[in-house]
Structures are given as C-alpha cells and as structure tokens.
C-alpha cells in the first residue's frame, strides 16, 4: 500500500509525462551546441552571412507562407465569379470546395514532405515545391476553359501539393540554420507574421484581376511569381543546410496516413454538396477512420515513423490540439466573412479585400510579441490567449446585424482575430522545433503546417454540413436562407473556437500544477541536501570541543 507521499510523487510523475517542463540551462546549452554544429555546416553559416544576404534569405523563406495563404484566398474573394464560370453559383457546398480542395492537399501531403526534406535536403525540396506550385497554378487558371467545376477542384488540389512540399521545408530551413535563441524566434515569428499579408494580397489581387481582367489571371500570375522565387532561391539560400537523415522512408505509414486524411476530409466537404444520406460519403468516411487507425498502429512499429508518437503527447500534443481547434475556426471565419461581404453587404471583390487590411498590421504585432513572450511566459498561456482571440473574433463577426456599420463589429473582429493566427502558429513552430532533434526539423515543420491547413479545410466541411442541414427545407433562392445558413456556419466556428479555449485552459491548469509541484520537489531536495551538512557540521564542532578539553 502506497503512502500519501508516494501517491503525491506518482501524481507529479504522471503530470511530468503529460506536461514536459521548459528545458533547463544544461539542456538548453546542449541543444545550442548541437544546433551550432549543424548550422556551421551551412555555407555561409549563421555567423558569416551578411545582413543584406540574410534579409533576402529570410524574405524568400517567408514567401512560402505568403504565397500559400494568398492561394487560399484566391477563390474566397472571387467565389461568385468562379462559380458563375462553372454554373454552380446556387450551390454553397460546391463553392466551398474551391478553397477546401486546396487546403485539403496542403494539409495532407505536408505529412510526408517534411520527412522527404529530412532525407533529401530542405533546400532541394523547397525548390521542388515551388516548381510544382508554378506548374499547377498555371494549369488551374487554364481550367476555366474546361467549364467543369470538378476539373477545377482537382487542379486546385494539385496546386496545393506545391505548398505542401515547400512549407515544412521552409520552416525546417530556419529550424536547422539557426541555434535556439532570440534570432531564431524572430525568424519563426516573421514566417508566421506574413500569413495575414498573404491572405490580403491574395484577396486584393484576385479581386483586381476578376473585376478588371478575368479571374484566371490570379493563378497565372501566381505561377509566374513562383517560378521567379524558385530561381532566386537557388542562388540565395545557403547551401548544405541541415543534416540528412540516415533513416528510411515510411512508405506504409505514408500510404495509410495520406489515404485516411484525404478520405475523411473529402467526406466532410462532399457531404454538404450531395447530402450525408448518399452511401459513398459515409462509406469513405468510415474507410478514412480505419486507415488512420492503421496509420497509428504502423507508426508505433516502424523504425523511422513519419510522426513520432511522443510528439502527439505532452506539451506538443496540447499545442497541436489547440492549433487544430483554432485554425478550423479560422477557416470558417475567413470563408464566411468574405461570403457575407460579397452577398449581404454587397461589396465588390476589391472593396471586400480592402476592408480586411487592418488585420495585416495586428498580425505583425502579434507574431513578434509571441517571439518575445514564448521565452517569458508559459506556452499554455500564449495558446489560451490565441484561442480566446479566435473565439472573440468569430463571435463578433457571426453576430453582426444585417446592414451594420463596418466599424462597429467587423473592424474589431479584423483587429482581434489575427492575434489567434499569429500567436498560435509561431508558438507551435518554436515549441516543436525546439522539441525535435535537428535531423527531424522537416517533421517539426510538417506537423504544424499539417494541422493548420488541414484544419482550415475540415472546418469548412463542418460548417458546410451545418449550413446544408439547417437550410435544406428552406427556399434556396431566398436571401433570408443565405443569411440564416451563414449564421449557422458561424456558430459552428464559435463551437470550434470554444473547444480550443477549453483545451488551452486545461493545458494551462495542468502546466501550472506541474510547475508548482516541481518547485516544491526542488525545495525539498535542497532541504534534504542542507540538513545532513548542518548535522555533520554540528558533530564536527562537538568533536573539536572534546579534543580541546
């Protein structure tokens, strides 16, 4: 039978397994030494690179984030024009596929591209990703001539595989090039900070092209820019970044992981289009969950797993869970904010995009603030504030009365929501990059990006399903039906954000309890060490007195 002290020690040990503490000075020094060995191999390394070269280098890395998020918004701001081209303007579920198909493949194939970067080199995979993105951006634009929305969705999905390759390897380049510290945190923060800029640039330019020329031009220009970035990157990004992983590629895990993620996401986004009563929708969903179950089993058995099981537990597990809940809410917020602006407020694509500019500035403030705070306050508190920002932002946007002034609620929502994006993403990148070894920086980058982009797509599927079933018996051509459906979708997003707040609050409580008990244990250890010394000193004094006598 255990004593109360033993039980207390066991509970502390269990919390320690669930909530890893921040690295101590010895661990941090060891990480710094290992990181420096890796980084010095680069040519030029982080000590030798000139400031202009470094600015251009980090600018190219940030372009991956900017162009990826710009591509997400390419069809959000021009959804009506694209839908009109393919004759699906009265089908909200089909319209959501224009964006969901892109995020589906970005979030899915990132899972394996990070591992490929660990094996074949981050710079090489970065350039391959841009080449793929260039080709399929051009083809997606030409899909307008096919007059088939299905073909367009497939090409959007293929386009998304480009960012799936370049995003985790961009993060891995930063993670392996810089040692842990403020310089690395600032670069990670800059990488996250450009996300709102990407959304806005994508929305503005797609709006300009759709109103003044033709919407496919946004894809053609995107392809041209991608080709230019890939060419410049070949000469600017330092050579020999990172250490090649000597392990093998997990083909079995890749197959079941990608299959499961694709089928689950497809089912949730196809359900609002044809209805969940159609057999193939729920059959594919079941097969998807079975595939994910097999994937989890395989990852526990293989020597070099795509996703190390320990990454999904403890602190990193809570971080990824919060990112999943928050960013799925963000996908709903972004898509339906543009839909409301275009259909209810009556804004054109250019005006709709311009109204989102305030979020650009707060995104930078949030990202660089996080780079500082992540070394000063617990990670659980940063994530709690991020989830709270997501919740407040979508509540403000989802409860706006029809015809309300822009400055009353929408402007405030645009100020607050970027704090959710740019506090959760950099925090996740920094925590996972520090947790995993330098030979697995590709996996670290792929996990964060997988959860971000996959959550955007699956969140749209959840919201679309709610919208479909809440309005299926209403007049589809009525503006009241449109308004009611979007409000129900916003409520789904509120629920997802609320889940994120609850998870982060639980994380915060557990981390606080763990840190408090660790402090008590440390105090007890100090007391145990000093008490024997005091007794020995007293005995020595008594012996000395006896000798004198």
């Amino acid at each position: 039978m255990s004593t109360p002290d033993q039980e207390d020690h066991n509970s502390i040990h269990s919390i320690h397994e669930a909530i890893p503490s921040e690295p101590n000075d010895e661990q941090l020094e060891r990480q710094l030494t290992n990181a420096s060995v890796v980084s010095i191999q680069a040519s030029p390394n982080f000590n030798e690179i000139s400031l202009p070269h470094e600015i251009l280098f980090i600018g190219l890395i940030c372009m991956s984030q900017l162009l990826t998020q710009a591509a997400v918004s390419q069809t959000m701001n021009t959804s009506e024009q694209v839908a009109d081209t393919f004759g699906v303007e009265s089908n909200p579920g089909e319209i959501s596929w224009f964006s969901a198909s892109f995020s589906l493949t970005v979030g899915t194939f990132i899972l394996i591209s990070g591992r490929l970067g660990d094996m074949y080199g981050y710079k090489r995979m970065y350039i391959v990703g841009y080449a793929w993105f260039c080709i399929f951006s051009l083809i997606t634009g030409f899909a307008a001539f096919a007059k088939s929305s299905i073909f367009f969705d497939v090409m959007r999905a293929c386009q998304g595989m480009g960012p799936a390759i370049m995003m985790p390897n961009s993060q891995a380049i930063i993670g392996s090039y810089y040692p842990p510290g403020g310089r690395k945190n600032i670069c990670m923060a800059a990488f996250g900070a450009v996300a709102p800029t990407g959304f806005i640039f994508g929305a503005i330019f797609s709006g300009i092209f759709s109103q003044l020329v033709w919407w496919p031009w946004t894809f053609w220009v995107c392809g041209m820019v991608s080709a230019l970035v890939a060419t410049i990157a070949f000469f600017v990004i330092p050579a020999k970044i990172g250490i090649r992983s000597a392990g093998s590629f997990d083909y079995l895990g890749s197959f079941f992981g990608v299959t499961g993620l694709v089928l689950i996401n497809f089912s949730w986004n196809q359900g609002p289009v044809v209805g969940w009563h159609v057999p193939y929708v729920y059959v594919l969903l079941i097969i998807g969950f079975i595939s994910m179950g097999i994937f989890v089993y395989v990852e526990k058995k293989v020597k070099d797993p795509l996703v190390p099981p320990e990454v999904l537990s403890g602190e990193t597990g809570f971080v990824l869970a919060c990112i999943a809940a928050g960013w799925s809410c963000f996908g709903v917020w972004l898509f339906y904010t543009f839909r409301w602006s275009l259909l209810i407020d009556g804004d054109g694509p250019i005006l709709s995009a311009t109204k989102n500019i305030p979020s650009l500035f707060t995104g930078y403030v949030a990202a660089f603030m996080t780079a500082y705070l992540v070394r000063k306050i617990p990670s659980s508190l940063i994530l709690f504030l991020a989830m709270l920002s997501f919740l407040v932002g979508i509540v403000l946007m989802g409860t706006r009365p029809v015809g309300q002034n822009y400055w009353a609620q929408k402007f405030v929502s645009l100020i607050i929501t970027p704090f959710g994006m740019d506090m959760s993403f950099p925090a996740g990148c920094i925590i996972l990059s520090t947790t995993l070894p330098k030979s697995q920086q590709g996996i670290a980058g792929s996990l964060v990006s997988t959860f971000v982009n996959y959550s955007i797509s699956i969140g749209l599927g959840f919201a679309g399903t709610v919208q479909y079933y809440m309005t299926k018996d209403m007049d589809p051509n009525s503006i009241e039906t449109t308004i009611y459906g979007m409000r129900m979708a916003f409520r789904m997003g509120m629920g997802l954000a609320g889940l994120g707040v609850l998870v982060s609050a639980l994380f915060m409580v557990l981390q606080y309890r763990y840190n408090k008990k660790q402090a008590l244990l440390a105090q007890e250890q100090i007391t145990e060490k000093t008490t024997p010394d005091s007794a020995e000193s007293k005995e020595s004094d008594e012996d000395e007195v006896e000798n004198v006598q």
Side-chain angles (χ1 to χ4, degrees):
M1 181 174 179
S2 62
T3 65
D5 290 340
Q6 289 173 328
E7 292 177 355
D8 185 59
H9 178 76
N10 291 337
S11 65
I12 291 172
H13 180 69
S14 64
I15 292 174
H16 172 68
E17 290 179 344
I19 312 293
S21 61
E22 299 294 331
N24 57 36
D25 292 339
E26 183 179 349
Q27 291 172 327
L28 204 60
E29 184 178 355
R30 185 165 62 251
Q31 290 174 0
L32 181 62
T33 303
N34 293 338
S36 300
V37 171
V38 174
S39 301
I40 288 173
Q41 292 182 350
S43 177
N45 64 51
F46 69 95
N47 284 323
E48 298 171 343
I49 191 170
S50 65
L51 182 60
H53 188 175
E54 185 174 19
I55 291 173
L56 183 57
F57 161 47
I58 296 301
L60 287 171
I61 299 302
C62 291
M63 282 295 292
S64 299
Q65 177 79 284
L66 188 145
L67 287 177
T68 299
Q69 306 309 332
V72 172
S73 63
Q74 279 178 320
T75 51
M76 289 189 176
N77 197 32
T78 59
S79 58
E80 292 303 298
Q81 287 82 355
V82 177
D84 184 65
T85 299
F86 299 118
V88 295
E89 58 273 13
S90 61
N91 191 334
E94 186 64 53
I95 293 173
S96 71
W97 261 120
F98 298 160
S99 300
S101 58
F102 177 84
S103 295
L104 184 155
T105 50
V106 174
T108 300
F109 287 91
I110 278 179
L111 190 66
I112 62 175
S113 62
R115 176 60 182 159
L116 291 174
D118 290 334
M119 295 178 65
Y120 299 109
Y122 305 132
K123 179 178 178 179
R124 177 179 298 176
M125 296 307 298
Y126 173 95
I127 295 174
V128 168
Y130 266 107
W132 184 288
F133 191 44
C134 165
I135 293 169
F136 281 96
S137 291
L138 296 174
I139 297 176
T140 303
F142 286 112
F145 295 102
K147 301 297 181 181
S148 169
S149 62
I150 295 176
F151 180 72
F152 177 78
D153 292 338
V154 172
M155 290 303 101
R156 276 285 278 170
C158 291
Q159 183 195 21
M161 292 174 67
I165 299 171
M166 65 197 190
M167 278 284 285
N169 289 290
S170 298
Q171 293 168 241
I173 286 172
I174 297 175
S176 59
Y177 188 73
Y178 293 100
R183 196 168 166 189
K184 176 179 178 179
N185 291 354
I186 289 174
C187 293
M188 285 290 189
F191 186 79
V194 298
T197 306
F199 283 120
I200 292 168
F201 274 31
I204 289 176
F205 281 101
S206 62
I208 291 173
F209 288 130
S210 67
Q211 283 192 223
L212 303 182
V213 194
W214 192 26
W215 64 261
W217 272 101
T218 185
F219 295 99
W220 296 332
V221 171
C222 182
M224 298 174 196
V225 172
S226 300
L228 179 63
V229 172
T231 304
I232 298 175
F234 179 80
F235 298 100
V236 171
I237 295 178
K240 301 179 182 178
I241 288 184
I243 292 180
R244 302 282 179 87
S245 174
S248 58
F249 186 74
D250 181 12
Y251 291 100
L252 196 61
S254 300
F255 174 78
F256 285 108
V258 169
T259 299
L261 290 174
V262 168
L263 293 181
I264 291 171
N265 201 313
F266 175 83
S267 300
W268 276 107
N269 282 282
Q270 187 67 4
V273 179
V274 299
W276 280 93
H277 63 280
V278 178
Y280 79 82
V281 176
Y282 58 78
V283 168
L284 290 178
L285 181 65
I286 293 171
I287 295 175
F289 279 115
I290 293 174
S291 296
M292 290 306 298
I294 298 174
F295 169 74
V296 172
Y297 175 79
V298 169
E299 294 305 280
K300 292 180 179 179
K301 300 297 182 181
V302 297
K303 181 181 178 181
D304 299 300
L306 281 177
V307 181
E310 62 272 14
V311 173
L312 300 179
S313 61
E315 182 181 28
T316 53
F318 274 104
V319 169
L320 294 173
C322 289
I323 287 176
W327 281 80
S328 57
C329 158
F330 172 75
V332 177
W333 177 86
L334 184 68
F335 180 77
Y336 286 96
T337 293
F338 276 115
R339 292 285 291 166
W340 188 283
S341 177
L342 296 169
L343 299 179
I344 310 303
D345 293 339
D347 298 331
I350 296 176
L351 180 59
S352 177
T354 304
K355 286 184 175 181
N356 286 270
I357 288 178
S359 62
L360 186 154
F361 303 103
T362 53
Y364 284 102
V365 172
F368 288 106
M369 183 178 71
T370 302
Y372 173 78
L373 292 178
V374 77
R375 297 172 64 87
K376 302 293 182 182
I377 64 176
S379 55
S380 58
L381 180 55
I382 293 176
L383 288 171
F384 178 76
L385 295 174
M387 297 303 106
L388 202 59
S389 299
F390 279 129
L391 178 60
V392 173
I394 198 166
V395 167
L396 288 171
M397 194 68 75
T399 58
R400 285 183 68 214
V402 176
Q404 186 189 57
N405 186 286
Y406 165 80
W407 303 100
Q409 285 179 232
K410 183 172 183 177
F411 175 76
V412 181
S413 178
L414 291 168
I415 294 295
I416 294 175
T417 304
F419 278 90
M421 297 168 56
D422 287 311
M423 291 184 76
S424 61
F425 185 82
C429 290
I430 292 168
I431 291 169
L432 265 75
S433 178
T434 304
T435 301
L436 292 177
K438 290 297 166 182
S439 61
Q440 293 184 335
Q441 289 301 298
I443 293 177
S446 67
L447 278 174
V448 177
S449 295
T450 291
F451 274 75
V452 165
N453 291 282
Y454 192 84
S455 298
I456 290 175
S457 183
I458 203 73
L460 287 175
F462 293 159
T465 297
V466 170
Q467 183 181 15
Y468 173 82
Y469 279 99
M470 295 301 293
T471 61
K472 68 175 184 175
D473 297 326
M474 302 173 66
D475 180 8
N477 298 317
S478 169
I479 189 65
E480 287 77 16
T481 302
T482 302
I483 294 172
Y484 182 74
M486 284 196 279
R487 288 210 186 280
M488 294 302 102
F490 272 121
R491 289 184 184 179
M492 181 69 235
M494 295 174 199
L496 293 168
L499 176 62
V501 171
L502 291 176
V503 172
S504 61
L506 175 63
F507 180 28
M508 191 163 54
V509 171
L510 291 176
Q511 194 174 60
Y512 171 77
R513 289 179 58 190
Y514 167 72
N515 289 337
K516 185 177 179 180
K517 291 185 178 182
Q518 280 295 99
L520 290 175
L521 278 177
Q523 185 63 38
E524 289 176 3
Q525 291 174 353
I526 293 173
T527 304
E528 290 174 359
K529 288 180 179 179
T530 55
T531 301
D533 292 342
S534 299
E536 290 176 4
S537 177
K538 185 176 180 180
E539 290 176 2
S540 176
D541 290 342
E542 290 176 352
D543 292 340
E544 188 174 346
V545 170
E546 289 177 359
N547 291 333
V548 170
Q549 291 175 346

